[in-house]
């Protein structure tokens, strides 16, 4: 996809905010290795830049979802440990070895088939245990024991880790979290030996639970966003790193009774100043955002009419020069639009909002 550098719309990422969030997490979780989740292009912030900034402040490694995401990091000079969290096809194993990417194993069939492919350079494996997420991983202690034994005896396999993933760590009610934790604990107790990394924590588990691992898979809170939305307070301040800004490309005085946008869903009720902003649903700024607001010169301005593919219109309180900054997410003077507010308006979670911003929007770092 062509990145639209010659348009004033951009995502601005504050790498110092990311580093500060990580420094707080490193202090909070002393003695544990932190692997930061930079999958989905660093949750929309830019995987390479975020990884480099995170490694500078002392995290150990990086988590991605696919082998291609890992290869992008390697091709950009990153040689830190990488763990791919998603199951890979057997045919992709040579790439995992070439690029030194640890991968999960979730079934015995996969393990046996993988073994057939291997020659000398060992494949690094993390045993995935499904304690109640219902996504990937072994369900029983017998299977986990068999997998562990098999890996230990296979000359071209290295047992690097064992992990599980919690489904309710971001909720106040912790009964189900306790149940998953107990299941994982029992599995660990049945193993004669543990690998180098035992990991169960995402951001929410790290912030709100005592976990039994020695490594953390830290994602959303690094980007300064509260994993629970607004339900729980983080134990240290989280600084959001992402702003979304643009500029007015046209401002016009529209007489009373005129339609704005496709379908004429908005009609001016008097003479109104209407501004056009070059961002739309093709950028991941969704049609449902109609009726929400942006900031111009420190004032909230309503998005009027339907959001188009590449543009949207806003109602301005007064005439404003073209080229004036428009803040869609972030601060302007004493006002702010947060990702949480956008997520609430869209009836979703901020994770989905940040991951939806398309590659067309350039990412700028400061
Ligand atoms: C297996 C796994 N671990 C860790 C994370 C990071 O989670 P969070 O961004 O909530 O910290 C994710 C993200 O979805 C994940 O799928």
């Amino acid at each position: 996809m062509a990145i639209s550098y010659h348009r004033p719309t951009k995502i601005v990422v504050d790498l110092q905010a990311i580093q500060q969030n990580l420094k707080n997490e490193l202090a909070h979780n002393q003695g544990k290795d932190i692997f930061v989740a930079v999958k989905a292009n660093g949750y929309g912030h830019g995987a390479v830049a975020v990884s480099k900034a995170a490694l500078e402040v002392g995290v150990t490694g990086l988590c991605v979802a696919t082998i291609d995401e890992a290869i992008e990091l390697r091709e950009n000079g990153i040689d830190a440990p990488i763990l791919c969290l998603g199951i890979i096809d057997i045919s992709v194993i040579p790439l995992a070895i070439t690029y030194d990417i640890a991968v999960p194993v979730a079934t015995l069939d996969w393990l046996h088939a993988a073994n057939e492919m291997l020659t000398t350079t060992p494949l690094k494996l993390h045993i995935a245990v499904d304690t109640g997420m219902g996504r990937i991983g072994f369900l029983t202690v017998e299977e986990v024991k068999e997998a562990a034994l098999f890996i230990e005896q296979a000359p071209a396999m290295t047992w690097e880790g064992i992990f599980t993933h919690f489904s309710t760590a971001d909720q106040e009610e912790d009964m189900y979290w306790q149940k998953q934790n107990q299941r994982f604990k029992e599995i660990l107790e049945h193993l004669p030996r543990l690998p180098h990394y035992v990991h169960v924590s995402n951001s929410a588990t790290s912030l709100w639970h005592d976990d039994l691992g020695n490594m953390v898979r830290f994602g959303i809170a690094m980007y300064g966003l509260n994993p629970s939305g607004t339900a729980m307070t983080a134990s240290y301040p989280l600084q959001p790193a992402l702003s979304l800004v643009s500029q007015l490309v046209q401002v016009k005085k529209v007489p009373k009774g005129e339609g704005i946008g496709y379908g004429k869903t908005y009609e001016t009720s008097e003479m109104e100043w209407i501004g056009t902003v070059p961002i739309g649903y093709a950028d991941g700024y969704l049609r449902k955002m109609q009726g929400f607001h942006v900031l111009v010169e420190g004032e909230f301005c309503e998005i009027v009419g339907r959001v188009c593919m590449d543009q949207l219109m806003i109602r301005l309180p007064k005439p404003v020069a073209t080229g004036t900054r428009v803040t869609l997410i972030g601060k302007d003077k004493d006002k702010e639009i947060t990702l949480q507010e956008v997520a609430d308006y869209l009836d979703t979670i901020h994770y989905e909002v940040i991951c939806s911003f398309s590659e067309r929007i350039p990412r700028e770092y400061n």
Side-chain angles (χ1 to χ4, degrees), residues 9 14 16 31 56 70 72 76 128 238 250 257 259 319 350:
T9 302
D14 181 350
Q16 279 174 13
E56 262 175 34
E72 183 194 26
N76 281 278
L238 298 173
Q250 186 174 0
H350 46 52

Side-chain angles (χ1 to χ4, degrees), residues 309-363:
M309 188 184 291
D310 320 298
Q311 299 170 82
L312 58 81
M313 284 69 81
I314 59 175
R315 190 181 59 239
L316 296 160
K318 56 179 190 287
V320 177
T322 57
T324 300
R325 181 186 167 103
V326 177
T327 302
L328 297 106
I329 294 164
K331 289 185 182 149
D332 182 10
K333 298 195 175 154
D334 61 337
K335 304 226 174 50
E336 182 174 9
I337 297 172
T338 67
L339 274 158
Q340 185 61 47
E341 287 160 359
V342 174
D344 288 346
Y345 193 78
L346 291 171
D347 198 17
T348 185
I349 52 173
H350 46 52
Y351 288 80
E352 190 176 37
V353 177
I354 48 180
C355 290
S356 301
F357 293 132
S358 88
E359 269 182 52
R360 186 162 83 171
I361 308 177
R363 272 67 173 169

Side-chain angles (χ1 to χ4, degrees), residues 162-238:
I162 185 164
F163 71 104
T164 195
H165 192 56
F166 292 107
S167 63
T168 60
D170 55 355
Q171 295 172 15
E172 224 156 342
E173 161 61 61
D174 77 341
M175 260 190 23
Y176 197 68
W177 187 93
Q178 294 292 355
K179 185 173 167 181
Q180 282 194 259
N181 194 49
Q182 187 56 27
R183 279 187 182 162
F184 192 64
K185 197 164 165 243
E186 279 164 23
I187 286 184
L188 296 186
E189 282 164 4
H190 279 89
L191 297 176
R193 193 185 79 76
L194 292 178
H196 186 62
Y197 291 124
V198 175
H199 48 110
V200 300
S201 276
N202 55 0
S203 299
T205 297
S206 174
L207 288 169
W208 294 303
H209 300 271
D210 280 335
D211 88 79
L212 40 78
N214 59 11
M215 163 187 155
V216 177
R217 307 181 304 267
F218 195 63
I220 197 76
M222 157 172 73
Y223 303 101
L225 300 172
N226 183 326
S228 75
T230 51
M232 288 190 283
T233 308
S235 37
Y236 50 82
L238 298 173

Side-chain angles (χ1 to χ4, degrees), residues 13 41 47 53 65 110 114 144 189 199 216 227 231 237 240 262 281 325 357:
V13 178
N41 195 26
W110 186 96
V144 173
E189 282 164 4
H199 48 110
V216 177
Y262 287 117
Y281 61 77
R325 181 186 167 103
F357 293 132

Side-chain angles (χ1 to χ4, degrees), residues 11 67 78 103 107 115 124 135 224 272 286 334 350 366:
I11 283 174
I67 286 290
I78 293 169
V103 297
T107 65
N115 195 41
K124 292 177 181 164
R135 195 166 63 176
E272 292 179 20
L286 304 182
D334 61 337
H350 46 52
N366 62 22

